[in-house]
Amino acid sequence: MSNRQLDDISKFLSFVLRHEPQAIGLQLDSEGWASIDRLIEGAAREGRDLDLQLIRAVVSGSDKKRFGISEDGLRIRAVQGHSTADVQLQHTEKQPPEWLYHGTATRFLPAIEREGLIPGARHHVHLSADRSTAMDVGKRYGTPVLLKIEALRMHQQGFKFFQADNGVWLTDKVPVEFFD
């Protein structure tokens, strides 16, 4: 299987496990878990040939660790980035490092400078502990720009932070006054 094919499967899994499970008749529980068997069946109805081996290859091969498989091996979920109202992952609150980063595109800066960082369709704002990962995210949306966030100061002022299983930091919003 080529990297391009695995990337295509990863994008499909992101779509159905984060945003539109109903597109293939899939049901997610409140923690985002779905039956792997139902995922394979739903994908087949849409003309996608998935099997357990391919799914495991995508999950284990993803450098961003976007997905998790349950300990019993029967269920899969996206570890963060959900926009569907049915999923409300319960993350443990955690103290962030002094600085976190957010990569975006320059075309979004006017809105960000007015409103701060808001989750949009997602449940949380996504932040990274390292600059390069944040810049890679920004490149996906156009000419990238890196925002440096005073995360520890935010936390000290009552903002809650969580960390997803893949290391991505999550918070409800980032007001402009916390941009460095």
Side-chain angles (χ1 to χ4, degrees), residues 13-60:
L13 292 178
S14 287
F15 174 70
V16 298
L17 295 175
R18 288 178 168 178
H19 311 296
E20 297 284 339
Q22 66 277 10
I24 63 166
L26 192 63
Q27 194 74 37
L28 305 181
D29 71 14
S30 64
E31 287 290 312
W33 291 107
S35 161
I36 291 176
D37 289 342
R38 300 294 88 71
L39 171 65
I40 292 169
E41 291 168 9
R45 283 193 301 275
E46 297 298 316
R48 289 195 172 260
D49 190 23
L50 287 183
D51 61 32
L52 184 57
Q53 183 179 349
L54 277 175
I55 292 170
R56 287 189 181 279
V58 169
V59 171
S60 66

Short mmCIF file of all heavy atoms in Angstrom, two decimals, residues 13-60:
data_model
loop_
_atom_site.label_atom_id
_atom_site.label_comp_id
_atom_site.label_asym_id
_atom_site.label_seq_id
_atom_site.Cartn_x
_atom_site.Cartn_y
_atom_site.Cartn_z
N LEU A 13 -11.04 8.37 7.26
CA LEU A 13 -11.30 8.08 8.68
C LEU A 13 -11.51 9.38 9.47
O LEU A 13 -12.40 9.45 10.33
CB LEU A 13 -10.16 7.27 9.28
CG LEU A 13 -10.00 5.84 8.78
CD1 LEU A 13 -8.80 5.17 9.43
CD2 LEU A 13 -11.26 5.02 9.01
N SER A 14 -10.73 10.41 9.19
CA SER A 14 -10.91 11.70 9.86
C SER A 14 -12.30 12.24 9.59
O SER A 14 -12.98 12.73 10.50
CB SER A 14 -9.87 12.71 9.40
OG SER A 14 -8.61 12.40 9.93
N PHE A 15 -12.73 12.16 8.34
CA PHE A 15 -14.05 12.66 7.96
C PHE A 15 -15.15 11.95 8.74
O PHE A 15 -16.00 12.60 9.36
CB PHE A 15 -14.25 12.51 6.45
CG PHE A 15 -15.63 12.86 5.98
CD1 PHE A 15 -16.07 14.18 6.00
CD2 PHE A 15 -16.49 11.88 5.53
CE1 PHE A 15 -17.35 14.51 5.57
CE2 PHE A 15 -17.77 12.20 5.10
CZ PHE A 15 -18.21 13.52 5.11
N VAL A 16 -15.14 10.62 8.73
CA VAL A 16 -16.25 9.90 9.37
C VAL A 16 -16.13 9.82 10.88
O VAL A 16 -17.15 9.79 11.57
CB VAL A 16 -16.48 8.49 8.76
CG1 VAL A 16 -16.85 8.60 7.29
CG2 VAL A 16 -15.32 7.57 8.97
N LEU A 17 -14.92 9.80 11.43
CA LEU A 17 -14.76 9.67 12.88
C LEU A 17 -14.75 11.01 13.61
O LEU A 17 -14.94 11.05 14.82
CB LEU A 17 -13.50 8.88 13.21
CG LEU A 17 -13.49 7.42 12.76
CD1 LEU A 17 -12.14 6.78 13.03
CD2 LEU A 17 -14.61 6.63 13.43
N ARG A 18 -14.54 12.11 12.87
CA ARG A 18 -14.55 13.44 13.49
C ARG A 18 -15.81 14.24 13.17
O ARG A 18 -16.30 14.98 14.01
CB ARG A 18 -13.35 14.27 13.02
CG ARG A 18 -12.03 13.84 13.56
CD ARG A 18 -10.95 14.71 12.97
NE ARG A 18 -9.70 14.55 13.66
CZ ARG A 18 -8.58 15.17 13.30
NH1 ARG A 18 -8.58 15.98 12.27
NH2 ARG A 18 -7.48 14.99 13.98
N HIS A 19 -16.27 14.12 11.92
CA HIS A 19 -17.28 15.07 11.46
C HIS A 19 -18.60 14.48 10.98
O HIS A 19 -19.65 15.00 11.31
CB HIS A 19 -16.68 15.93 10.34
CG HIS A 19 -15.36 16.51 10.67
ND1 HIS A 19 -15.17 17.43 11.69
CD2 HIS A 19 -14.12 16.28 10.15
CE1 HIS A 19 -13.89 17.76 11.77
NE2 HIS A 19 -13.23 17.08 10.85
N GLU A 20 -18.57 13.44 10.17
CA GLU A 20 -19.79 12.96 9.52
C GLU A 20 -19.94 11.44 9.59
O GLU A 20 -19.99 10.77 8.55
CB GLU A 20 -19.80 13.40 8.04
CG GLU A 20 -19.83 14.88 7.82
CD GLU A 20 -21.18 15.50 8.06
OE1 GLU A 20 -22.21 14.78 8.01
OE2 GLU A 20 -21.23 16.71 8.30
N PRO A 21 -20.06 10.87 10.77
CA PRO A 21 -20.22 9.41 10.85
C PRO A 21 -21.47 8.93 10.12
O PRO A 21 -21.48 7.84 9.53
CB PRO A 21 -20.28 9.12 12.35
CG PRO A 21 -20.68 10.42 12.97
CD PRO A 21 -20.11 11.50 12.09
N GLN A 22 -22.52 9.76 10.13
CA GLN A 22 -23.76 9.37 9.48
C GLN A 22 -23.61 9.23 7.96
O GLN A 22 -24.45 8.60 7.32
CB GLN A 22 -24.90 10.35 9.83
CG GLN A 22 -24.73 11.75 9.31
CD GLN A 22 -23.86 12.66 10.16
OE1 GLN A 22 -23.19 12.23 11.10
NE2 GLN A 22 -23.84 13.93 9.82
N ALA A 23 -22.55 9.79 7.38
CA ALA A 23 -22.34 9.68 5.93
C ALA A 23 -22.21 8.23 5.49
O ALA A 23 -22.51 7.90 4.35
CB ALA A 23 -21.09 10.48 5.51
N ILE A 24 -21.78 7.36 6.42
CA ILE A 24 -21.69 5.93 6.11
C ILE A 24 -22.54 5.10 7.07
O ILE A 24 -22.34 3.90 7.20
CB ILE A 24 -20.22 5.43 6.09
CG1 ILE A 24 -19.56 5.57 7.47
CG2 ILE A 24 -19.42 6.15 5.01
CD1 ILE A 24 -18.25 4.81 7.61
N GLY A 25 -23.48 5.75 7.74
CA GLY A 25 -24.36 5.05 8.66
C GLY A 25 -23.68 4.58 9.93
O GLY A 25 -24.11 3.61 10.55
N LEU A 26 -22.63 5.28 10.34
CA LEU A 26 -21.85 4.89 11.51
C LEU A 26 -22.37 5.64 12.74
O LEU A 26 -22.76 6.80 12.66
CB LEU A 26 -20.38 5.23 11.28
CG LEU A 26 -19.35 4.68 12.25
CD1 LEU A 26 -19.35 3.15 12.20
CD2 LEU A 26 -17.96 5.21 11.90
N GLN A 27 -22.34 4.98 13.88
CA GLN A 27 -22.76 5.56 15.15
C GLN A 27 -21.54 5.69 16.05
O GLN A 27 -20.81 4.72 16.25
CB GLN A 27 -23.79 4.64 15.80
CG GLN A 27 -24.56 5.24 16.92
CD GLN A 27 -25.59 6.25 16.43
OE1 GLN A 27 -26.20 6.05 15.40
NE2 GLN A 27 -25.76 7.32 17.16
N LEU A 28 -21.31 6.89 16.60
CA LEU A 28 -20.24 7.12 17.57
C LEU A 28 -20.85 7.26 18.95
O LEU A 28 -21.91 7.86 19.10
CB LEU A 28 -19.46 8.40 17.24
CG LEU A 28 -18.86 8.56 15.85
CD1 LEU A 28 -18.12 9.89 15.76
CD2 LEU A 28 -17.96 7.40 15.51
N ASP A 29 -20.17 6.73 19.97
CA ASP A 29 -20.65 6.98 21.33
C ASP A 29 -20.14 8.34 21.81
O ASP A 29 -19.45 9.05 21.08
CB ASP A 29 -20.30 5.81 22.27
CG ASP A 29 -18.83 5.70 22.62
OD1 ASP A 29 -18.04 6.65 22.38
OD2 ASP A 29 -18.43 4.65 23.16
N SER A 30 -20.47 8.71 23.04
CA SER A 30 -20.12 10.05 23.54
C SER A 30 -18.62 10.27 23.65
O SER A 30 -18.17 11.40 23.69
CB SER A 30 -20.78 10.30 24.89
OG SER A 30 -20.27 9.40 25.86
N GLU A 31 -17.85 9.20 23.66
CA GLU A 31 -16.39 9.31 23.70
C GLU A 31 -15.77 9.14 22.31
O GLU A 31 -14.55 9.05 22.18
CB GLU A 31 -15.80 8.28 24.67
CG GLU A 31 -16.04 8.63 26.13
CD GLU A 31 -15.24 9.84 26.60
OE1 GLU A 31 -14.03 9.90 26.34
OE2 GLU A 31 -15.85 10.74 27.20
N GLY A 32 -16.61 9.09 21.29
CA GLY A 32 -16.12 9.03 19.91
C GLY A 32 -15.83 7.64 19.38
O GLY A 32 -15.37 7.49 18.25
N TRP A 33 -16.07 6.61 20.17
CA TRP A 33 -15.77 5.24 19.74
C TRP A 33 -16.80 4.72 18.75
O TRP A 33 -18.00 4.98 18.90
CB TRP A 33 -15.73 4.29 20.93
CG TRP A 33 -14.59 4.51 21.87
CD1 TRP A 33 -14.66 5.05 23.11
CD2 TRP A 33 -13.21 4.20 21.64
NE1 TRP A 33 -13.41 5.09 23.69
CE2 TRP A 33 -12.50 4.58 22.80
CE3 TRP A 33 -12.50 3.65 20.58
CZ2 TRP A 33 -11.13 4.42 22.93
CZ3 TRP A 33 -11.13 3.50 20.70
CH2 TRP A 33 -10.45 3.88 21.87
N ALA A 34 -16.32 3.98 17.76
CA ALA A 34 -17.18 3.32 16.77
C ALA A 34 -16.69 1.89 16.59
O ALA A 34 -15.50 1.60 16.71
CB ALA A 34 -17.13 4.05 15.44
N SER A 35 -17.62 1.01 16.27
CA SER A 35 -17.27 -0.38 15.98
C SER A 35 -16.46 -0.44 14.69
O SER A 35 -16.85 0.12 13.67
CB SER A 35 -18.56 -1.19 15.82
OG SER A 35 -18.30 -2.39 15.12
N ILE A 36 -15.32 -1.11 14.74
CA ILE A 36 -14.51 -1.28 13.53
C ILE A 36 -15.28 -2.09 12.49
O ILE A 36 -15.24 -1.76 11.30
CB ILE A 36 -13.14 -1.93 13.87
CG1 ILE A 36 -12.29 -0.94 14.68
CG2 ILE A 36 -12.41 -2.35 12.59
CD1 ILE A 36 -10.96 -1.48 15.17
N ASP A 37 -16.01 -3.11 12.92
CA ASP A 37 -16.82 -3.89 11.96
C ASP A 37 -17.84 -3.01 11.26
O ASP A 37 -18.03 -3.10 10.04
CB ASP A 37 -17.53 -5.05 12.67
CG ASP A 37 -16.58 -6.16 13.10
OD1 ASP A 37 -15.44 -6.21 12.57
OD2 ASP A 37 -16.97 -6.96 13.96
N ARG A 38 -18.53 -2.12 12.02
CA ARG A 38 -19.53 -1.22 11.40
C ARG A 38 -18.85 -0.22 10.48
O ARG A 38 -19.41 0.16 9.46
CB ARG A 38 -20.33 -0.47 12.47
CG ARG A 38 -21.13 -1.29 13.47
CD ARG A 38 -22.28 -2.08 12.90
NE ARG A 38 -21.94 -3.40 12.43
CZ ARG A 38 -21.62 -4.47 13.19
NH1 ARG A 38 -21.59 -4.38 14.48
NH2 ARG A 38 -21.33 -5.63 12.63
N LEU A 39 -17.65 0.23 10.85
CA LEU A 39 -16.89 1.14 10.00
C LEU A 39 -16.57 0.47 8.67
O LEU A 39 -16.77 1.06 7.60
CB LEU A 39 -15.60 1.57 10.71
CG LEU A 39 -14.58 2.36 9.87
CD1 LEU A 39 -15.14 3.70 9.45
CD2 LEU A 39 -13.29 2.55 10.66
N ILE A 40 -16.10 -0.75 8.71
CA ILE A 40 -15.76 -1.48 7.48
C ILE A 40 -17.02 -1.69 6.63
O ILE A 40 -16.99 -1.48 5.41
CB ILE A 40 -15.07 -2.82 7.83
CG1 ILE A 40 -13.69 -2.53 8.44
CG2 ILE A 40 -14.95 -3.71 6.60
CD1 ILE A 40 -13.00 -3.74 9.06
N GLU A 41 -18.11 -2.06 7.27
CA GLU A 41 -19.38 -2.27 6.54
C GLU A 41 -19.87 -0.97 5.90
O GLU A 41 -20.29 -0.96 4.74
CB GLU A 41 -20.45 -2.81 7.49
CG GLU A 41 -20.20 -4.22 7.95
CD GLU A 41 -21.11 -4.64 9.12
OE1 GLU A 41 -22.05 -3.88 9.47
OE2 GLU A 41 -20.87 -5.72 9.69
N GLY A 42 -19.85 0.12 6.65
CA GLY A 42 -20.30 1.41 6.13
C GLY A 42 -19.43 1.90 4.99
O GLY A 42 -19.93 2.44 4.00
N ALA A 43 -18.13 1.71 5.13
CA ALA A 43 -17.21 2.12 4.06
C ALA A 43 -17.49 1.30 2.79
O ALA A 43 -17.50 1.85 1.68
CB ALA A 43 -15.76 1.94 4.51
N ALA A 44 -17.76 0.01 2.94
CA ALA A 44 -18.04 -0.86 1.79
C ALA A 44 -19.29 -0.39 1.06
O ALA A 44 -19.33 -0.39 -0.18
CB ALA A 44 -18.19 -2.31 2.24
N ARG A 45 -20.31 0.03 1.80
CA ARG A 45 -21.54 0.54 1.17
C ARG A 45 -21.26 1.79 0.34
O ARG A 45 -21.98 2.08 -0.61
CB ARG A 45 -22.60 0.85 2.23
CG ARG A 45 -23.30 -0.37 2.77
CD ARG A 45 -24.56 0.01 3.56
NE ARG A 45 -24.29 0.88 4.70
CZ ARG A 45 -23.92 0.44 5.91
NH1 ARG A 45 -23.77 -0.85 6.14
NH2 ARG A 45 -23.72 1.29 6.90
N GLU A 46 -20.22 2.51 0.69
CA GLU A 46 -19.84 3.73 -0.04
C GLU A 46 -18.74 3.46 -1.07
O GLU A 46 -18.15 4.39 -1.61
CB GLU A 46 -19.38 4.82 0.94
CG GLU A 46 -20.45 5.27 1.89
CD GLU A 46 -21.64 5.90 1.18
OE1 GLU A 46 -21.41 6.71 0.25
OE2 GLU A 46 -22.78 5.57 1.53
N GLY A 47 -18.45 2.18 -1.30
CA GLY A 47 -17.47 1.82 -2.32
C GLY A 47 -16.03 1.87 -1.88
O GLY A 47 -15.12 1.86 -2.70
N ARG A 48 -15.80 1.92 -0.57
CA ARG A 48 -14.42 1.94 -0.04
C ARG A 48 -14.10 0.57 0.53
O ARG A 48 -14.83 0.08 1.38
CB ARG A 48 -14.26 2.99 1.04
CG ARG A 48 -14.29 4.38 0.50
CD ARG A 48 -13.75 5.33 1.57
NE ARG A 48 -13.59 6.63 1.02
CZ ARG A 48 -12.43 7.13 0.62
NH1 ARG A 48 -11.33 6.43 0.72
NH2 ARG A 48 -12.35 8.35 0.14
N ASP A 49 -13.00 0.02 0.09
CA ASP A 49 -12.60 -1.31 0.52
C ASP A 49 -11.61 -1.19 1.68
O ASP A 49 -10.43 -0.94 1.49
CB ASP A 49 -11.96 -2.06 -0.66
CG ASP A 49 -11.73 -3.53 -0.35
OD1 ASP A 49 -12.42 -4.07 0.54
OD2 ASP A 49 -10.85 -4.13 -1.01
N LEU A 50 -12.13 -1.31 2.90
CA LEU A 50 -11.30 -1.26 4.11
C LEU A 50 -11.29 -2.63 4.76
O LEU A 50 -12.26 -3.37 4.66
CB LEU A 50 -11.88 -0.26 5.12
CG LEU A 50 -11.77 1.21 4.86
CD1 LEU A 50 -12.35 1.99 6.04
CD2 LEU A 50 -10.34 1.64 4.62
N ASP A 51 -10.22 -2.92 5.45
CA ASP A 51 -10.19 -4.11 6.30
C ASP A 51 -9.38 -3.77 7.54
O ASP A 51 -8.79 -2.69 7.64
CB ASP A 51 -9.62 -5.33 5.55
CG ASP A 51 -8.19 -5.14 5.07
OD1 ASP A 51 -7.39 -4.43 5.73
OD2 ASP A 51 -7.84 -5.73 4.03
N LEU A 52 -9.39 -4.68 8.50
CA LEU A 52 -8.72 -4.43 9.78
C LEU A 52 -7.24 -4.14 9.59
O LEU A 52 -6.68 -3.25 10.24
CB LEU A 52 -8.94 -5.61 10.73
CG LEU A 52 -8.39 -5.44 12.14
CD1 LEU A 52 -8.97 -4.21 12.82
CD2 LEU A 52 -8.67 -6.68 12.97
N GLN A 53 -6.60 -4.85 8.69
CA GLN A 53 -5.16 -4.65 8.45
C GLN A 53 -4.88 -3.23 7.95
O GLN A 53 -3.95 -2.58 8.42
CB GLN A 53 -4.66 -5.69 7.45
CG GLN A 53 -3.17 -5.62 7.20
CD GLN A 53 -2.70 -6.68 6.21
OE1 GLN A 53 -3.45 -7.59 5.86
NE2 GLN A 53 -1.48 -6.55 5.76
N LEU A 54 -5.68 -2.73 7.02
CA LEU A 54 -5.50 -1.36 6.52
C LEU A 54 -5.73 -0.33 7.62
O LEU A 54 -4.98 0.63 7.75
CB LEU A 54 -6.47 -1.09 5.37
CG LEU A 54 -6.06 -1.55 3.99
CD1 LEU A 54 -7.20 -1.32 3.00
CD2 LEU A 54 -4.82 -0.83 3.53
N ILE A 55 -6.79 -0.54 8.38
CA ILE A 55 -7.10 0.40 9.47
C ILE A 55 -5.95 0.43 10.47
O ILE A 55 -5.49 1.50 10.88
CB ILE A 55 -8.44 0.02 10.14
CG1 ILE A 55 -9.58 0.27 9.16
CG2 ILE A 55 -8.63 0.80 11.44
CD1 ILE A 55 -10.92 -0.28 9.61
N ARG A 56 -5.45 -0.73 10.84
CA ARG A 56 -4.32 -0.78 11.79
C ARG A 56 -3.08 -0.11 11.19
O ARG A 56 -2.33 0.56 11.91
CB ARG A 56 -4.02 -2.21 12.20
CG ARG A 56 -5.06 -2.78 13.15
CD ARG A 56 -4.60 -4.14 13.70
NE ARG A 56 -5.59 -4.71 14.58
CZ ARG A 56 -5.76 -4.37 15.85
NH1 ARG A 56 -5.00 -3.45 16.38
NH2 ARG A 56 -6.69 -4.95 16.60
N ALA A 57 -2.85 -0.26 9.90
CA ALA A 57 -1.69 0.36 9.24
C ALA A 57 -1.80 1.89 9.30
O ALA A 57 -0.82 2.58 9.55
CB ALA A 57 -1.58 -0.12 7.79
N VAL A 58 -3.01 2.41 9.08
CA VAL A 58 -3.21 3.85 9.15
C VAL A 58 -3.02 4.35 10.59
O VAL A 58 -2.34 5.36 10.82
CB VAL A 58 -4.61 4.24 8.61
CG1 VAL A 58 -4.93 5.69 8.93
CG2 VAL A 58 -4.69 3.99 7.12
N VAL A 59 -3.60 3.65 11.55
CA VAL A 59 -3.50 4.07 12.95
C VAL A 59 -2.05 4.04 13.42
O VAL A 59 -1.56 5.00 14.01
CB VAL A 59 -4.40 3.18 13.85
CG1 VAL A 59 -4.13 3.47 15.32
CG2 VAL A 59 -5.87 3.41 13.52
N SER A 60 -1.33 2.96 13.15
CA SER A 60 0.04 2.84 13.64
C SER A 60 1.03 3.68 12.83
O SER A 60 2.04 4.10 13.35
CB SER A 60 0.48 1.37 13.65
OG SER A 60 0.55 0.88 12.33
#
